[in-house]
């Protein structure tokens, strides 16, 4: 019996050690192997940004979509000749090419200095921080040490990303699966202060019934109708934030208070009494928003990561090594 207990204890200890080492990231992971990685990525991101502002929202959105499916492992970057990879799913078809190109260019620059050392997953995480800073948002230290995942399937995307018409409980459920709280969810939703959306993503709020969605500010609804009439060209897009679309700021939350949230999933954060106090706090206090965003981004960066001998360090972010 004692021997059995001893073996059980050792087994439990081994399991606990294995679990405690799982998903451990550190800020100075490449201090010896590639000490200049962050400055190299920052330069590549800045160069890309100088060519197009879309670099900012596209890269940030790419990071979210990557982490919510299979974890933060750059699986969204994989290109399949059969069009059945993660990026080919219906939910990811609207991801802008400039986000992919930003990571690819940054990876190429890093490979020149540190071949085979830095994962595409870490480069994407660094780039996501850098585009926030370029848009005037807060800087923060990025934890590193991720490896690139070996699974990228379109069939595994559905149900893992928030939808434009999601309500609070649906949003909380998806974020909770990734160890993110309601406050984290509201803070990360603030990324909608940047970027744009195609008209068909919110047209139901304008045209699905005889009346416009009553949570929309009437004047804003008319602006949306003018920009997105019925049967509009599906390539037409408008800014997510109608006030300061190129600045990372807390105006997104001020817009929600004013009834100017573009998606149902945006506006519900204010109309639902459970989340409204946080929205009001962020609308009135940019420091509170920035702090919560930093916390949420660092937590997001730990989702489903591969470390140690799990996964690989890709040479080309768009293809598995093998």
């Amino acid at each position: 019996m004692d021997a059995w207990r001893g073996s059980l204890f050792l087994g439990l200890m081994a399991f606990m050690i294995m679990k405690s080492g799982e998903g451990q990231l550190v800020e100075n992971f490449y201090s010896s192997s590639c000490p200049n990685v962050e400055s190299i990525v920052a330069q590549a991101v800045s160069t890309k940004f100088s060519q197009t502002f879309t670099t900012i929202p596209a890269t940030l959105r790419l990071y979210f979509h990557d982490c919510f499916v299979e974890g933060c492992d750059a699986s969204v970057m994989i290109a399949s000749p059969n069009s059945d990879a993660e990026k080919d799913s219906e939910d990811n078809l609207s991801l802008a090419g400039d986000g992919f190109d930003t990571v690819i260019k940054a990876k190429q620059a890093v490979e020149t200095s540190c071949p085979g050392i830095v994962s595409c997953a870490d480069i994407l995480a660094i780039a996501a921080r850098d585009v926030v800073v370029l848009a005037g948002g807060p800087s923060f230290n990025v934890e590193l040490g991720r490896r690139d995942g070996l699974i990228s399937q379109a069939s595994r995307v559905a149900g893992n990303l928030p939808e434009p018409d999601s309500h609070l409980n649906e949003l909380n459920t998806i974020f909770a699966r990734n160890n993110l709280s309601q406050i984290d969810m509201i803070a990360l939703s603030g990324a909608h202060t940047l970027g744009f959306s195609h008209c068909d993503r919110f047209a139901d709020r304008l045209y699905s019934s005889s009346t416009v969605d009553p949570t929309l500010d009437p004047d804003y609804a008319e602006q949306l109708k003018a920009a997105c009439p019925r049967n509009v060209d599906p390539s037409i897009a408008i800014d997510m934030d109608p006030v300061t679309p190129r600045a990372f700021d807390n105006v997104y939350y001020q817009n929600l208070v004013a009834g100017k949230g573009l998606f149902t999933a945006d506006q519900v954060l204010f109309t639902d009494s459970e989340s409204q106090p946080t929205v009001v706090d962020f609308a009135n206090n940019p420091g509170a928003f920035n702090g919560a965003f930093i916390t949420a981004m660092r937590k997001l960066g730990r989702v489903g990561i591969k470390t140690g001998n799990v996964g690989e360090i890709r040479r080309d972010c768009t293809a598995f090594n093998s």
Side-chain angles (χ1 to χ4, degrees):
M1 188 69 170
D2 288 341
W4 179 83
R5 284 178 177 166
S7 63
L8 177 62
F9 174 75
L10 289 173
L12 287 172
M13 285 297 292
F15 176 74
M16 289 172 68
I17 290 170
M18 181 181 72
K19 292 296 286 184
S20 67
E22 199 173 80
Q24 295 299 308
L25 302 175
V26 293
E27 293 173 10
N28 61 346
F29 186 81
Y30 299 105
S31 59
S32 298
S33 58
C34 191
N36 297 323
V37 59
E38 293 196 48
S39 61
I40 295 170
V41 173
Q43 181 58 56
V45 173
S46 179
T47 298
K48 178 68 180 175
F49 167 63
S50 70
Q51 297 164 359
T52 172
F53 177 82
T54 306
T55 297
I56 291 178
T59 304
L60 193 54
R61 187 164 178 246
L62 184 67
Y63 184 55
F64 292 161
H65 280 233
D66 180 50
C67 292
F68 271 61
V69 182
E70 308 295 350
C72 305
D73 64 355
S75 53
V76 74
M77 298 291 300
I78 292 294
S80 166
N82 302 317
S83 298
D84 58 0
E86 209 171 290
K87 67 182 292 188
D88 300 308
S89 72
E90 185 175 353
D91 287 333
N92 283 334
L93 290 177
S94 62
L95 289 172
D98 286 304
F100 293 94
D101 192 48
T102 298
V103 179
I104 290 168
K105 294 284 176 53
K107 172 65 170 177
Q108 291 170 346
V110 171
E111 284 293 295
T112 299
S113 296
C114 314
I117 300 295
V118 184
S119 67
C120 298
D122 276 347
I123 289 172
L124 176 53
I126 296 168
R129 184 272 313 276
D130 290 347
V131 295
V132 169
V133 174
L134 283 172
S139 185
F140 53 93
N141 294 331
V142 179
E143 296 175 319
L144 301 168
R146 301 167 190 80
R147 287 169 67 86
D148 299 320
L150 298 174
I151 297 173
S152 183
Q153 298 175 5
S155 60
R156 297 168 77 124
V157 175
N160 289 312
L161 294 168
E163 296 292 341
D165 59 353
S166 295
H167 289 276
L168 188 66
N169 62 331
E170 296 166 327
L171 293 169
N172 279 333
T173 296
I174 288 177
F175 278 74
R177 282 186 214 144
N178 297 295
N179 297 316
L180 296 164
S181 68
Q182 178 172 287
I183 290 179
D184 296 328
M185 179 271 291
I186 297 171
L188 291 174
S189 296
H192 283 177
T193 192
L194 299 165
F196 54 86
S197 173
H198 296 285
C199 296
D200 61 350
R201 302 290 280 174
F202 55 86
D204 61 324
R205 300 187 73 196
L206 303 172
Y207 303 116
S208 65
S209 66
S210 58
T211 58
V212 171
D213 184 337
T215 64
L216 271 173
D217 172 77
D219 291 337
Y220 183 50
E222 290 305 312
Q223 292 176 30
L224 294 178
K225 282 185 172 183
C228 298
R230 288 181 185 273
N231 304 314
V232 68
D233 183 335
S235 66
I236 299 297
I238 68 165
D239 292 325
M240 298 280 291
D241 175 353
V243 181
T244 57
R246 294 197 167 201
F248 187 95
D249 54 27
N250 68 326
V251 172
Y252 166 81
Y253 301 99
Q254 296 171 13
N255 291 338
L256 300 187
V257 174
K260 296 179 180 179
L262 188 61
F263 296 154
T264 296
D266 294 316
Q267 196 58 50
V268 73
L269 301 181
F270 179 72
T271 57
D272 195 301
S273 60
E274 286 189 35
S275 49
Q276 186 179 95
T278 303
V279 170
V280 172
D281 181 34
F282 289 173
N284 293 328
N285 188 342
F289 163 52
N290 284 343
F293 184 81
I294 290 171
T295 296
M297 282 288 282
R298 285 170 64 89
K299 287 174 67 175
L300 176 65
R302 301 169 190 143
V303 172
I305 56 172
K306 286 76 181 169
T307 57
N309 294 321
V310 180
E312 65 181 10
I313 304 299
R314 273 188 232 132
R315 294 184 292 268
D316 173 354
C317 291
T318 68
F320 299 122
N321 287 344
S322 56

